[in-house]
Amino acid sequence: MRKLNCSVGDLAITVNCSYPKNLGNIVKIVSAVGFEEWANHEELVYTWNVEVASEGSFLYYQYEGEEFKPFTSGPVPDTYLRRLTPPSGYLMNEFIDSEQLQMNFHELDFVESESNV
C-alpha cells in the first residue's frame, strides 16, 4: 500500500486536480473519509474531508458535466493534496533556520521603523 500524503490536522495545498478551479487551494485536513470512487479514477482513492483555509477560496465539484456551487469544505482525494505542515514526530527545533529567520525579519522591521522616525 502506498503512503498517504496527508493526515488529520495538516495544512495542504491542492495539486493535480482533475477540475482546474481547485488547483492551489490551501486546505486543512479535518477527517478521513476512506476509500471511495472518484471521477477519472478506475480504482478507489483515499479521500479526506477538508476545509478551505484561505479567505475567498472555494472547492468546486462537478458531477456528470454539471458544476455545483462553490463550497468551503468537502472531500478531496489524497492524491490531490501535498502537506504543508511538517510530518508528525518532527520537533520545531529540528528546523533550526525557521526561528532565527523569523527573529531576523522582526529585527529588520524594528530597525526600519526607528530609522523612519
Side-chain angles (χ1 to χ4, degrees):
M1 183 177 181
R2 103 178 165 78
K3 186 176 177 183
L4 295 173
N5 294 319
C6 298
S7 59
V8 174
D10 285 341
L11 285 177
I13 187 167
T14 54
V15 297
N16 303 324
C17 301
S18 54
Y19 197 46
K21 282 187 172 184
N22 288 327
L23 289 172
N25 278 325
I26 306 298
V27 297
K28 181 176 182 178
I29 311 299
V30 178
S31 64
V33 174
F35 288 96
E36 64 179 6
E37 292 181 1
W38 199 265
N40 303 324
H41 292 274
E42 292 179 15
E43 298 179 5
L44 296 176
V45 294
Y46 197 85
T47 307
W48 300 100
N49 278 320
V50 303
E51 292 178 349
V52 176
S54 51
E55 193 173 316
S57 294
F58 298 96
L59 296 172
Y60 295 88
Y61 296 94
Q62 198 172 25
Y63 182 72
E64 294 181 0
E66 196 173 316
E67 183 180 304
F68 293 107
K69 66 179 183 174
F71 293 90
T72 56
S73 63
V76 176
D78 186 73
T79 57
Y80 296 166
L81 297 168
R82 295 298 176 270
R83 181 191 328 250
L84 294 177
T85 54
S88 60
Y90 278 79
L91 301 174
M92 285 312 290
N93 63 359
E94 293 180 32
F95 299 95
I96 297 168
D97 295 342
S98 65
E99 186 176 341
Q100 185 62 40
L101 185 61
Q102 290 172 359
M103 287 175 48
N104 289 344
F105 282 142
H106 176 70
E107 290 171 6
L108 287 175
D109 289 342
F110 180 75
V111 170
E112 286 179 7
S113 64
E114 281 188 345
S115 64
N116 292 332
V117 176

